[in-house]
Amino acid sequence: MGRKVTLATCSLNQWALDFQGNLSRVLKSIEVAKSKGARYRLGPELEICGYGCADHFYESDTLLHSLQVLKELMQSPITTDIICDVGIKILLIRPKMLLANYGNNREFRWFSPWTQPRHVEDYFLPRMIQEATVPFGDCVLSTIDTCLGSEICAEMWNPRSPHIDMGLDGVEIFTNSSASYHELRKAEQRVMLVRSATNKSGGIYLFANQKGCDGDRLYYDGCAMIAINGEIVAQGAQFTMDDVEVLVATLDLEDIRSYRGERCHPHMVSFWLRVKVDFMLSVGEDVSLPTNQPIRWRFHTPEEEISLGPACWLWDYLRRSGQAGFLLPLSGGVDSSSTACIVYSMCVLLYHQVLEDVQRVVGDTSYRPEDPQELCGHLFTTCYMATENSSESTYSRARELASQIGSYHINLNIDMAVKGILGIFSMVMGKVPQFRVNGGCARENLALQNIQARVRMVLAYLFAQLSLWARGRPGGLLVLGSANVDESLTGYFTKYDCSSADINPIGGISKTDLKSFLQFCTDHFHLPALRSVIAAPPTAELEPLANGQVSQTDEADMGMTYSELSLIGRLRKISKCGPYSMFCKLIHTWGESCSPSQVAAKVKHFFRMYSVNRHKMTTVTPSYHAENYSPDDNRFDLRPFLYNTRWSWQFRCIDDQFACAHKFILRVCFTSFLPE
């Protein structure tokens, strides 16, 4: 009898409610797995209907069409002679026992967990599938030569993961169908969990994952993997344009048994019901069959992740939206330049990987780009919208970057539109608003800034709809936004300005990470224009210049640095800090650079800005989710948008604590100077 098993796991670019497309990708993955000798194939969570169906899970149509697809899979000759999570005969329905209900996950909204460990019931299948009952519940599959147990997505992340007791009960192969979305620096957590699942008590672990955007702002980043006895032996890509990726490994069951023989001893555990399957995962004499050996996982740097994740997400969004490309208001600053570089990264990936979809998007079946820059010129339009408050340096930076990445670049002046709108106001109200430097009040100053920003948004959509028409090309363009996560935290943007767009690839990324990303792009993509972008202080350029030079900077306007904002954002969301607890943490973190009174002032200033501007989050452009402190309202950050902005009780607690700390410092200082 053979002892070596060939197993497959995969990453599929499934799309919510795309039943036909999802079916074809599932079938293709099974076909590839079989062609490589696999006798078991694992797919991602909810691969038939797509993970991101959200409230469509309430609809009976979703269940009906999922069953119809399952029937097609069962009737397909491709699913014979292989055990799949969807296959020729339903052997077991294993329900999810631990639901994900944090961050972007709302599984309790649509599902209920199976709450009866080791319990199994008979489930009557719909007639269209097969007239029979199957086991439904917490049990495992026992083939002639081994035993398989399932975990589903969040169960691996739980402190009481099922694989622990299953391994002690003799289960040798663990499978995990996941829909795990990308966040910066998250891949290492996944790999650590998969390795640790079999490091203590041995076994094989197969991890499958969704890939692609699935219809919203999340990007599922693949990373399928196979491990044995705590070592990774097969690594899937984290970011790729391929819709179907199948990972196959051949492993020796005896390696598990010898590993357990030394480490595992009799242990009191509840036994799992075994559903017996008259099937072998190993095949005959397999002595000459080579097995996969441990590999070292290659992790992407955060800069590479920013370059690749949002780029893949943009491509999915573009090809599924039916539009012909993107338009970006390019100001020459860090944020819009980062967005431009992500689009260019997308073009680099497309140039090397995908052609047929590119031809469909550009509307030319004979199109073959000579290089990524030429492709960028077809798919990407950048637009510098100048006013009398714009500097020559931002104009030059935008023009040089557009030239180096190859985008179709437009320069225009919007002063005429701004003055026309202000003329209407002055004609009706009989007053002409002035900037602060010209004697205007704060309200006038802010209104004059906002009208410039909002005119840019209107013009961006006009050019997105008609610029290809004017150039004699079909289709329209998707408008890209470029507000970073830190600016969103404080509401440092104009509501319905050019940050209001169709989608925003950098809306979940901090300014600190974006600067590092631009440094990476400078070297990796050979874009020297970015050096001056990185060196320039961030500015909105909405107030009058002083002797031709920028007099306004973002950090001065916000009252804190971007690095301070990033830390505050993490404390607010990840550490669940309100004003008082944030102050208590920051007086230690910032103790060397800020006095307690300065810390108190910064914390109060942040919460005032946050609460005053929270309403802007209800209209913020859908952004690529990259950080777990995103302020994305009603999606990731479920908080009110109307606050008492005085925070009177909370701020009084800060003042009381500061007073106590101040008295303590004075007492210590006084004591230290007492004569001996």
Side-chain angles (χ1 to χ4, degrees):
M1 178 186 293
R3 66 183 194 181
K4 295 177 182 177
V5 293
T6 301
L7 310 168
T9 185
C10 57
S11 295
L12 303 183
N13 194 339
Q14 305 298 75
W15 189 9
L17 303 181
D18 180 22
F19 292 99
Q20 187 62 53
N22 293 349
L23 170 62
S24 65
R25 288 182 283 272
V26 171
L27 285 171
K28 182 178 179 181
S29 70
I30 298 172
E31 192 171 19
V32 172
K34 288 179 66 177
S35 71
K36 295 183 178 182
R39 305 271 286 172
Y40 178 90
R41 173 266 184 200
L42 177 70
E45 186 175 11
L46 291 169
E47 61 183 315
I48 288 178
C49 60
Y51 182 82
C53 291
D55 280 4
H56 287 290
F57 285 124
Y58 290 136
E59 299 170 5
S60 60
D61 281 12
T62 304
L63 176 60
L64 171 65
H65 300 322
S66 297
L67 291 171
Q68 290 170 336
V69 170
L70 184 59
K71 179 181 179 181
E72 295 241 355
L73 286 168
M74 293 173 62
Q75 293 176 342
S76 170
I78 294 173
T79 59
T80 58
D81 298 323
I82 186 170
I83 294 179
C84 304
D85 42 16
V86 285
I88 189 167
K89 178 182 177 183
I90 296 180
L91 303 169
L92 162 68
I93 299 176
R94 199 284 197 173
K96 196 169 183 177
M97 302 179 67
L98 300 167
L99 301 185
N101 211 56
Y102 46 83
N104 286 293
N105 301 300
R106 302 282 181 273
E107 292 182 0
F108 270 104
R109 181 177 175 89
W110 309 296
F111 306 108
S112 297
W114 183 252
T115 57
Q116 303 178 71
R118 321 294 190 273
H119 181 75
V120 178
E121 297 178 359
D122 285 336
Y123 179 79
F124 287 87
L125 293 167
R127 248 178 250 170
M128 73 167 72
I129 303 297
Q130 64 188 56
E131 294 197 27
T133 61
V134 293
F136 184 107
D138 184 19
C139 54
V140 297
L141 288 180
S142 181
T143 64
I144 295 172
D145 49 358
T146 187
C147 188
L148 302 91
S150 296
E151 290 187 324
I152 305 174
C153 200
E155 293 175 2
M156 179 178 71
W157 299 76
N158 192 275
R160 298 189 64 180
S161 297
H163 69 257
I164 298 170
D165 285 339
M166 282 195 290
L168 293 172
D169 192 29
V171 174
E172 295 180 324
I173 300 172
F174 310 102
T175 67
N176 190 312
S177 300
S178 274
S180 180
Y181 54 81
H182 174 239
E183 284 180 351
L184 295 178
R185 306 170 180 87
K186 182 180 178 181
E188 192 166 353
Q189 291 178 276
R190 264 194 226 120
V191 174
M192 178 188 67
L193 286 169
V194 168
R195 290 186 60 188
S196 64
T198 58
N199 185 54
K200 290 181 180 178
S201 59
I204 296 170
Y205 204 102
L206 279 73
F207 177 84
N209 196 22
Q210 167 90 319
K211 66 192 302 188
C213 80
D214 196 28
D216 66 9
R217 76 205 186 289
L218 301 178
Y219 179 75
Y220 299 91
D221 55 334
C223 269
M225 64 188 93
I226 301 174
I228 182 171
N229 298 342
E231 299 284 354
I232 303 294
V233 295
Q235 172 185 354
Q238 187 175 8
F239 307 105
T240 175
M241 297 290 190
D242 298 328
D243 284 343
V244 176
E245 181 189 28
V246 179
L247 206 61
V248 176
T250 298
L251 300 166
D252 195 333
L253 295 174
E254 289 301 315
D255 289 339
I256 303 169
R257 293 157 190 170
S258 59
Y259 188 93
R260 286 180 172 177
E262 181 180 3
R263 289 168 175 79
C264 298
H265 302 286
H267 188 77
M268 292 299 294
V269 1
S270 301
F271 292 101
W272 268 259
L273 173 70
R274 281 158 162 73
V275 176
K276 295 183 179 180
V277 186
D278 188 16
F279 188 80
M280 290 181 62
L281 296 186
S282 56
V283 285
E285 294 298 324
D286 53 19
V287 176
S288 60
L289 194 62
T291 57
N292 288 58
Q293 298 303 306
I295 62 172
R296 184 173 182 177
W297 192 282
R298 195 271 184 188
F299 292 101
H300 291 290
T301 65
E303 294 77 18
E304 289 173 323
E305 290 187 83
I306 295 171
S307 173
L308 297 169
C312 292
W313 179 76
L314 282 178
W315 175 239
D316 263 6
Y317 203 100
L318 178 61
R319 66 191 177 116
R320 289 172 173 176
S321 69
Q323 297 300 301
F326 298 112
L327 180 137
L328 171 70
L330 181 60
S331 70
V334 167
D335 295 334
S336 62
S337 296
S338 296
T339 300
C341 288
I342 289 171
V343 177
Y344 180 65
S345 176
M346 181 197 79
C347 293
V348 171
L349 290 172
L350 291 174
Y351 176 73
H352 290 107
Q353 295 186 27
V354 181
L355 180 61
E356 186 176 329
D357 281 341
V358 170
Q359 292 171 338
R360 182 178 56 79
V361 168
V362 302
D364 183 357
T365 56
S366 63
Y367 175 67
R368 281 175 171 74
E370 292 185 3
D371 52 39
Q373 284 84 356
E374 183 192 328
L375 178 57
C376 195
H378 268 75
L379 296 178
F380 192 30
T381 297
T382 51
C383 184
Y384 182 81
M385 303 186 209
T387 70
E388 59 187 13
N389 303 318
S390 301
S391 65
E392 176 63 29
S393 59
T394 55
Y395 165 78
S396 300
R397 293 199 299 267
R399 182 190 60 207
E400 289 172 13
L401 178 58
S403 174
Q404 290 174 17
I405 66 176
S407 66
Y408 182 85
H409 191 59
I410 300 169
N411 286 305
L412 61 95
N413 190 291
I414 68 171
D415 282 335
M416 185 186 304
V418 173
K419 290 175 181 175
I421 293 173
L422 289 174
I424 295 173
F425 174 84
S426 300
M427 181 177 63
V428 173
M429 302 305 296
K431 296 189 101 176
V432 180
Q434 299 293 328
F435 282 105
R436 184 186 290 111
V437 296
N438 298 324
C441 68
R443 283 189 292 172
E444 293 172 76
N445 196 70
L446 184 59
L448 289 174
Q449 292 185 68
N450 287 344
I451 193 61
Q452 297 169 73
R454 290 185 174 119
V455 164
R456 285 177 173 139
M457 183 272 290
V458 173
L459 288 172
Y461 274 99
L462 177 64
F463 276 81
Q465 289 179 311
L466 294 180
S467 61
L468 292 185
W469 165 79
R471 294 161 58 189
R473 287 180 48 195
L477 303 174
L478 292 166
V479 179
L480 296 181
S482 56
N484 64 66
V485 68
D486 299 322
E487 290 173 350
S488 296
L489 273 172
T490 58
Y492 184 67
F493 61 90
T494 302
K495 201 172 184 180
Y496 302 118
D497 70 346
C498 60
S499 65
S500 298
D502 293 312
I503 48 176
N504 179 4
I506 68 163
I509 305 173
S510 73
K511 193 82 160 191
T512 304
D513 281 335
L514 289 176
K515 282 192 170 183
S516 299
F517 165 64
L518 288 185
Q519 187 61 60
F520 163 80
C521 292
T522 303
D523 304 325
H524 185 72
F525 293 130
H526 309 293
L527 301 173
L530 293 174
R531 294 193 183 101
S532 59
V533 174
I534 298 169
T539 174
E541 284 196 334
L542 296 172
E543 293 188 21
L545 302 174
N547 299 320
Q549 300 300 313
V550 171
S551 60
Q552 177 187 29
T553 65
D554 293 349
E555 292 185 333
D557 281 354
M558 291 187 298
M560 58 187 68
T561 66
Y562 279 107
S563 60
E564 288 172 341
L565 260 181
S566 182
L567 177 56
I568 282 174
R570 293 177 186 279
L571 290 175
R572 180 199 66 92
K573 177 67 178 178
I574 302 171
S575 300
K576 311 294 188 296
C577 286
Y580 175 73
S581 54
M582 185 179 293
F583 167 77
C584 292
K585 289 181 182 293
L586 289 178
I587 56 173
H588 300 291
T589 306
W590 290 347
E592 293 184 1
S593 59
C594 294
S595 67
S597 62
Q598 290 173 320
V599 173
K602 286 179 183 288
V603 170
K604 291 178 181 179
H605 179 63
F606 166 75
F607 274 96
R608 287 193 194 100
M609 291 180 67
Y610 170 79
S611 55
V612 165
N613 292 312
R614 178 65 182 164
H615 64 95
K616 295 181 182 180
M617 292 300 96
T618 64
T619 61
V620 73
T621 296
S623 302
Y624 180 92
H625 177 85
E627 279 288 5
N628 53 7
Y629 70 94
S630 167
D632 201 0
D633 181 73
N634 290 330
R635 300 179 181 94
F636 184 72
D637 193 30
L638 305 182
R639 300 177 192 229
F641 61 86
L642 178 64
Y643 286 89
N644 181 339
T645 58
R646 291 186 294 274
W647 298 86
S648 52
W649 187 282
Q650 294 91 330
F651 288 179
R652 187 167 64 250
C653 288
I654 291 176
D655 294 337
D656 292 344
Q657 182 64 34
F658 167 62
C660 291
H662 187 62
K663 289 178 183 177
F664 174 76
I665 292 170
L666 288 176
R667 189 164 56 249
V668 169
C669 292
F670 179 73
T671 303
S672 66
F673 283 101
L674 286 175
E676 295 183 3

